[in-house]
Amino acid sequence: MYKSFLAPIDGYSDAAFRLLCSRYGAEASCVPLINADAVLVGREAGIHPEEKNLGVQLVGNNPETIGKACRRIVDGNPEIKWLNLNCGCPSSRTRSCGGGSALLDNPEKIVRSVAEMKKCGIPVSIKIRITDDTMELCRKTGADFLIVHGRTPGQGYSGKNNWEIIKRIKQESEIPVIGNGDITMAWEGKNYVKKGYCDSFMAGRAAMSNPLLFSDRKITDPQDMLDEYMEIGGVVPGLKDIRLKAMHFISGFKGAPAMRNIISRAKTIKEIREAIKII
């Protein structure tokens, strides 16, 4: 089992960002929120051939469709080492189609989806949030490992992550548990593993502004970080992705709020780099 995971971050953790986090210590990462229905009409997963220990996260509410989508993605993509069913996303967009945390209201559908996904012959996980029925669901899911975010769907990302519940799930589970929520540096995640809260840790939101967290470091030069993101693996991110990364990489630096206003209006990569240069 990998010890450190980059969380699947919808709209953010593209292939270049996943490669960047991997370079700095993330042992595994995951393509975020691939809609099963979209896969069956031709959507690609956006995988880079240099990626290692890569997972793909599926979202949907039809077990057969999810299974077919998994098989289509896995076929011909040896980079994919594991699969994930999203049962935790709290966004109204995801829930409105019956996916994400809406699946927590239908545990039998989760069990059936996992069974279909396992036909691909690689490990299958589910990513969940906590509910009153979390313990029961974890016992019967059939997954090879669990990823647990210690907040309820209603909390979104507010409040404090409940690591005590994650620990309880770990103690009562017969399969590995990956703990997720509020980890800002690798040493914090490693400490939770050492103390028996989980078998591995996953970090997401903190990595958005600091991909170096997996090596217990912080960004010292946002422009260097942005340049590395743009050049890694020969990937050429679009202007929208570069703008988004730049706005996060300057977090915590003096003058960041004013720079975000400039970056948000930038029409070229050169303008973005010029704005960051004066941080």
Side-chain angles (χ1 to χ4, degrees), residues 130-144:
I130 56 176
T131 68
D132 292 340
D133 301 317
T134 295
M135 296 305 302
E136 181 61 27
L137 172 62
C138 290
R139 291 189 188 100
K140 67 179 184 179
T141 171
D144 297 294

Side-chain angles (χ1 to χ4, degrees), residues 15 32 48 135 178 186-187 258 276:
H48 192 280
M135 296 305 302
I178 289 80
W187 68 263
I276 294 180

Side-chain angles (χ1 to χ4, degrees), residues 19 32 48 79 92 107 111 121 144 150 163 190 196 213 232 234 238 258 276 279:
L19 285 168
H48 192 280
E79 299 86 0
S92 57
V111 173
D144 297 294
W163 278 94
K190 292 174 182 176
L213 76 81
I232 195 165
I276 294 180
I279 283 287

